[in-house]
Amino acid sequence: MIKFVPAQPAAVNINQIEVALSEIRNDAMSGWLDLPDNYDRDELANIKKAAQQIQNDSKFLVCIGIGGSYLGHKALIDALEKPSYTRVLYAGNSLSPRALNAVMQQIGDADFSVNVISKSGTTTEPAVAFRFFKEKLYKKYGKEGAAKRIYATTDAKQGALHGEAVQEGYTRFVVPDNIGGRFSVLTAVGLLPLAVAGADVDALLDGAKTEKDDYAREPNLGNVTAVQYAVTRSEYWKKKYDTEVMASFEPSLQYFEEWWKQLFGESEGKNHQGIFPASVVYTTDLHSLGQYMQDGRRNIFETMLEVEKVGEVDFAVPIIPGADVDGLKYLEDRKLSDINRIACMATMAAHRAGGIPVLEVIMPDLTERSLGALVYFFEYACALSAKLSGVNPFDQPGVEAYKTNMFGLLGKPVA
Ligand code: PA5
């Protein structure tokens, strides 16, 4: 379902890919690989039930989480742009009082619920934010009423959040042991907020399954699009391209790019190596980073994230009779989507001419099915790409350094 157009055909070494894929399969953190087939249907039914409850009793759902516990569902909710009475808000993804205040102000006196999401159940940013929203819930609904509005998505057995959820009787959802944060968007981590935001979560999982089945059906691994993308990245890395810029002409995909950056950055940036993942949204960023892309250091390759059919909403440039005062007569009655598409073609041609290899990842539309497939495509490619560069895709040891310093400075008692 997801198409991939490399700048030049990737030279796939089938043996090497087979070895890497078998290592991924045998890894204890490879649960996301078969998730579209193995999803716990009872859990899914409970997610839908909880989403219904939240839609009935809350104007806002505050999703508290950071990294993989936040970026995936924000990415998909933004891309889908579904109408829903309940708006999903985000907190606990920074320590900024201004950011916290903005969410608090937005809620005001309205009814709200909280989905606190932390696989480990011990991450500082969401844990701190949770305290503030708990206090607000207590004031509005009392302790018992608050507990009915708190949904905890965390480990099945351990962590401070798990302990609290059990003790206080919050509705609980599980992040499976064998799926890490940045690979978890198609678990309860993403599915509960997505269902509240009006997304068809069955279609999301079906989309991922279609992509997975397409790979399994393909007799030649070299034709699997995600394999081609992973191998292409690895080839550019070897040719000293150390930065990949993901670009899109669709502003609603900005957070998809953020999710992608985390997925690849945290999976590959190890042992002082790894392609640096960056992102832009065009045409906006053609007027800020466009100059660099066209003429700057040639260490970049660009991955254009394209959507064949963006949606039903479109506008034709208004026809205004009279003189051509704004010089736009030549665009009159042209569809905005068409102008955007042509801007994309023109940009790719310009960047290629300027010496930037441009890869294309093309999805049919912005539906749940296509987005589910796109998530699977990137997760598969990311795990493989990290393996090809000899690092463990599923850990993130480097994230501890700032925490250790911060805890020391804040005087956290040593356990
Ligand atoms: O991918 C990862 O594992 C991380 O980005 C985590 O998602 C992030 O650090 C948040 O962790 P947790 O869900 O345990 O609070």
Side-chain angles (χ1 to χ4, degrees), residues 357-384:
V358 182
L359 324 176
E360 295 172 74
V361 173
I362 307 168
M363 60 194 295
D365 48 37
L366 286 173
T367 59
E368 286 89 338
R369 223 165 272 281
S370 298
L371 287 161
L374 193 67
V375 163
Y376 196 82
F377 169 87
F378 280 120
E379 287 180 347
Y380 191 100
C382 176
L384 185 54

Side-chain angles (χ1 to χ4, degrees), residues 85-401:
Y85 167 75
T86 310
R87 274 203 61 195
V88 175
L89 305 178
Y90 297 91
N93 53 60
S94 79
L95 291 165
S96 155
R98 286 171 65 115
L100 176 67
N101 184 48
V103 179
M104 289 287 185
Q105 293 301 321
Q106 201 166 349
I107 298 171
D109 290 331
D111 283 314
F112 74 104
S113 297
V114 163
N115 182 197
V116 52
I117 310 167
S118 176
K119 178 170 172 158
S120 62
T122 55
T123 307
T124 309
E125 291 90 336
V128 169
F130 185 34
R131 277 212 169 199
F132 289 99
F133 288 96
K134 239 184 326 197
E135 186 187 44
K136 191 170 168 73
L137 282 170
Y138 287 173
K139 279 190 188 145
K140 192 168 168 68
Y141 304 105
K143 197 159 184 260
E144 252 179 55
K148 295 200 177 84
R149 288 173 171 272
I150 298 175
Y151 299 81
T153 306
T154 189
D155 188 89
K157 298 183 215 75
Q158 58 189 12
L161 178 57
H162 171 263
E164 176 179 335
V166 171
Q167 186 181 308
E168 303 296 334
Y170 307 153
T171 302
R172 277 189 294 133
F173 293 102
V174 169
V175 193
D177 281 347
N178 59 358
I179 301 182
R182 56 192 174 277
F183 288 82
S184 71
V185 55
L186 298 180
T187 72
V189 168
L191 296 184
L192 178 59
L194 275 151
V196 171
D200 178 344
V201 291
D202 292 311
L204 261 171
L205 289 167
D206 272 2
K209 181 169 164 46
T210 306
E211 192 68 10
K212 174 183 183 294
D213 291 347
D214 278 358
Y215 299 172
R217 251 196 313 270
E218 174 55 60
N220 180 356
L221 263 181
N223 292 335
V224 170
T225 50
V227 171
Q228 291 175 352
Y229 175 54
V231 171
T232 302
R233 297 180 84 254
S234 156
E235 285 174 354
Y236 282 116
W237 171 251
K238 283 184 203 137
K239 290 183 196 158
K240 306 280 179 241
Y241 289 88
D242 59 16
T243 303
E244 177 178 11
V245 175
M246 175 172 276
S248 163
F249 278 73
E250 194 46 56
S252 65
L253 289 175
Q254 183 189 349
Y255 263 85
F256 193 89
E257 296 180 344
E258 295 299 327
W259 171 81
W260 169 86
K261 283 196 287 198
Q262 189 218 352
L263 183 66
F264 279 80
E266 218 164 59
S267 301
E268 284 193 327
K270 287 159 199 173
N271 304 341
H272 295 179
Q273 59 168 353
I275 296 168
F276 183 77
S279 65
V280 288
V281 175
Y282 295 149
T283 60
T284 313
D285 288 330
L286 289 173
H287 298 262
S288 67
L289 292 168
Q291 172 61 38
Y292 194 103
M293 294 299 288
Q294 192 65 40
D295 273 344
R297 244 182 101 202
R298 300 297 73 178
N299 61 332
I300 295 171
F301 64 97
E302 187 172 39
T303 298
M304 194 64 75
L305 184 56
E306 293 167 58
V307 187
E308 277 168 341
K309 193 169 187 315
V310 171
E312 300 308 321
V313 177
D314 208 347
F315 300 96
V317 174
I319 302 169
I320 300 184
D324 189 9
V325 282
D326 57 4
L328 290 183
K329 277 248 169 271
Y330 76 105
L331 287 180
E332 276 185 355
D333 212 23
R334 286 209 69 166
K335 291 274 171 53
L336 208 45
S337 61
D338 196 35
I339 300 174
N340 202 25
R341 187 181 55 79
I342 287 170
C344 177
M345 286 166 54
T347 305
M348 289 196 288
H351 288 179
R352 283 177 177 136
I356 294 213
V358 182
L359 324 176
E360 295 172 74
V361 173
I362 307 168
M363 60 194 295
D365 48 37
L366 286 173
T367 59
E368 286 89 338
R369 223 165 272 281
S370 298
L371 287 161
L374 193 67
V375 163
Y376 196 82
F377 169 87
F378 280 120
E379 287 180 347
Y380 191 100
C382 176
L384 185 54
S385 179
K387 277 279 169 202
L388 293 180
S389 59
V391 297
N392 177 356
F394 306 120
D395 65 0
Q396 54 283 327
V399 181
E400 293 312 309

